Amino acid sequence: MKRVFSGVKPTGHLTLGNYLGALRQWAEVDQHRADSLFCVVDLHALTVEHDPARVRRLSRQAATLLLAAGLDPQLCTVFVQSHVDEHARLSYLLECVATDGEMRRMIQYKEKSGRERERGGSVRLSLLTYPVLMAADILAYGADEVPVGDDQAQHVELTRDLAVRFNQRYGHTFVVPKATHPAVAARVMNLQEPTSKMGKSDAFGPGIVYLLDEPDVVRKKVMRAVTDSGLEVVYDRGERPGLANLLEILAACTGGEPEALAGAYGSYGALKKDTADAVVEVLRPVQARHRELCADPVHVEAVLRDGAAKARAMARPVVDSAYRAIGLLPPAPEPVADRVLNAVR
Ligand code: TYM
């Protein structure tokens, strides 16, 4: 059976982009066909200025939303990254395989560090090394596939490069994974700025649909989406990005094709209305389940505790073998007498 790994970063409230680009695929497809692990990658939330209480709150919320989106702990493993030490352990080894040039070429690093510098802030070193930690997340589990939105493709490419390089230098240790993307809505764009990705913490807040937005808020945001001055509804990502984004969202929510849907609409207003309704309907069950889960935080905690135990057991042998392969001296086993004593204590 294939192994699948993916994750979401608790740097903001989860968006429609996260859902259509990743979560929905995990819940509807991946968990049923593969041995899957889904992770709230909280260490990644520390790469930019953060408020500790907010990261904790968002981590809990993200985990609850993963379950609300339909991840079933009977079918897959759901856990929090910082509960499993193997991620950080492996990340350091991979830093010894990656180069600083490779890190500086990462698009997300260039964009985020550029923005931070413009604001006069300092750039955390972890923002530069972040893709290595992401590679560790994936390689620690021997994942074959990584279901993600388009924006993560470069990071998964780097993961492949690091796995191949490590294997060539130190002997076969890692599975070389590949990224998979949904057929539509692999990059949902901001409704107010349709040439930028809908991110969790964009400057263009009114253009972001959050998973927990009330129906009337969703409707307002979609109805006010920026389009263009044309009249005819056509699907053209390059020339008509706002319209194309709406058509993709509608297609993703209703199971249609953006091109075919374009032909069915005579006006932008009608397209917006149907898109708004479709998004509200897609989010409705997720929000209902989220409310139920919020009323039972003990259940969510138990899922995360069990998930971390399962994840640890999977990652530990892989990371241990990487430690051996790279040349680190294995610790001597405990003397038998101590082992017996520890067991009876
Ligand atoms: P993050 O938290 O930004 O996003 C989580 C998932 O949602 C997808 N996504 C989108 N898809 C379509 N349209 C959008 N507007 C949109 N916004 C986000 C992302 O592609 C992603 O699949 N670096 C990762 C988290 C991560 C990870 C990993 C992922 C850390 N380690 C290991 C996979 C495997 C990130 O920042 O995702």
Side-chain angles (χ1 to χ4, degrees):
M1 200 190 234
K2 286 235 179 333
R3 170 85 47 96
V4 158
F5 181 96
S6 203
V8 63
K9 195 171 58 183
T11 42
H13 298 288
L14 300 198
T15 71
L16 182 66
N18 296 129
Y19 185 70
L20 297 180
L23 267 65
R24 190 173 66 162
Q25 186 84 2
W26 305 348
E28 290 181 2
V29 182
D30 297 314
Q31 68 171 349
H32 299 285
R33 67 172 179 98
D35 176 12
S36 312
L37 297 110
F38 301 108
C39 185
V40 176
V41 287
D42 54 350
L43 296 173
H44 290 279
L46 312 184
T47 55
V48 287
E49 207 177 306
H50 75 285
D51 165 17
R54 183 165 188 263
V55 169
R56 258 191 303 275
R57 211 169 45 243
L58 289 173
S59 298
R60 203 170 287 124
Q61 189 192 68
T64 310
L65 275 169
L66 293 191
L67 300 177
L71 293 186
D72 176 352
Q74 304 293 330
L75 298 175
C76 66
T77 305
V78 181
F79 70 106
V80 174
Q81 183 190 31
S82 64
H83 296 177
V84 181
D85 293 342
E86 275 32 67
H87 297 246
R89 276 182 80 213
L90 181 56
S91 185
Y92 178 73
L93 290 205
L94 296 177
E95 281 185 23
C96 301
V97 174
T99 66
D100 99 305
E102 233 163 10
M103 296 300 104
R104 289 182 198 284
R105 280 196 294 276
M106 292 287 124
I107 295 164
Q108 292 207 358
Y109 172 72
K110 286 200 233 171
E111 287 176 358
K112 287 186 183 166
S113 62
R115 278 201 296 270
E116 200 56 55
R117 288 197 182 96
E118 265 169 31
R119 276 204 295 265
S122 55
V123 177
R124 294 185 181 182
L125 180 58
S126 54
L127 187 66
L128 182 66
T129 56
Y130 166 111
V132 177
L133 177 59
M134 176 160 163
D137 299 337
I138 298 165
L139 298 182
Y141 296 93
D144 304 282
E145 290 179 13
V146 187
V148 282
D150 252 6
D151 61 322
Q152 297 300 319
Q154 194 189 28
H155 291 158
V156 180
E157 268 312 302
L158 174 82
T159 304
R160 291 170 60 83
D161 291 347
L162 296 182
V164 168
R165 199 176 305 155
F166 191 104
N167 288 348
Q168 276 168 354
R169 280 189 198 160
Y170 306 114
H172 185 81
T173 307
F174 296 122
V175 173
V176 181
K178 69 168 205 271
T180 60
H181 306 291
V184 263
R187 184 180 288 256
V188 176
M189 307 308 266
N190 186 295
L191 297 173
Q192 288 298 313
E193 186 63 29
T195 50
S196 313
K197 185 191 80 169
M198 184 187 284
K200 294 184 202 87
S201 40
D202 289 354
F204 309 103
I208 309 171
V209 174
Y210 292 105
L211 293 191
L212 295 179
D213 276 347
E214 297 286 339
D216 57 331
V217 174
V218 173
R219 285 207 172 83
K220 224 176 266 164
K221 287 178 175 173
V222 176
M223 293 309 289
R224 287 183 188 160
V226 166
T227 47
D228 51 61
S229 55
L231 293 171
E232 225 184 308
V233 179
V234 286
Y235 178 65
D236 181 342
R237 262 200 143 195
E239 297 296 318
R240 320 275 287 273
L243 213 49
N245 193 34
L246 290 171
L247 286 164
E248 288 199 18
I249 293 172
L250 178 63
C253 292
T254 58
E257 291 285 335
E259 290 90 347
L261 285 168
Y265 284 93
S267 78
Y268 288 14
L271 170 65
K272 284 184 174 176
K273 187 180 171 305
D274 281 5
T275 306
D277 288 344
V279 173
V280 167
E281 285 318 309
V282 159
L283 297 187
R284 193 187 301 283
V286 179
Q287 296 183 350
R289 179 94 182 105
H290 179 261
R291 273 193 296 276
E292 282 168 26
L293 287 162
C294 282
D296 191 2
V298 176
H299 168 68
V300 177
E301 271 171 25
V303 167
L304 297 179
R305 189 182 51 239
D306 295 352
K310 271 165 67 188
R312 230 175 269 130
M314 286 189 235
R316 183 86 204 204
V318 179
V319 178
D320 280 351
S321 72
Y323 268 61
R324 306 286 169 271
I326 207 168
L328 298 172
L329 186 66
E334 253 184 308
V336 177
D338 289 2
R339 219 180 306 152
V340 173
L341 268 179
N342 285 339
V344 293
R345 255 184 215 139

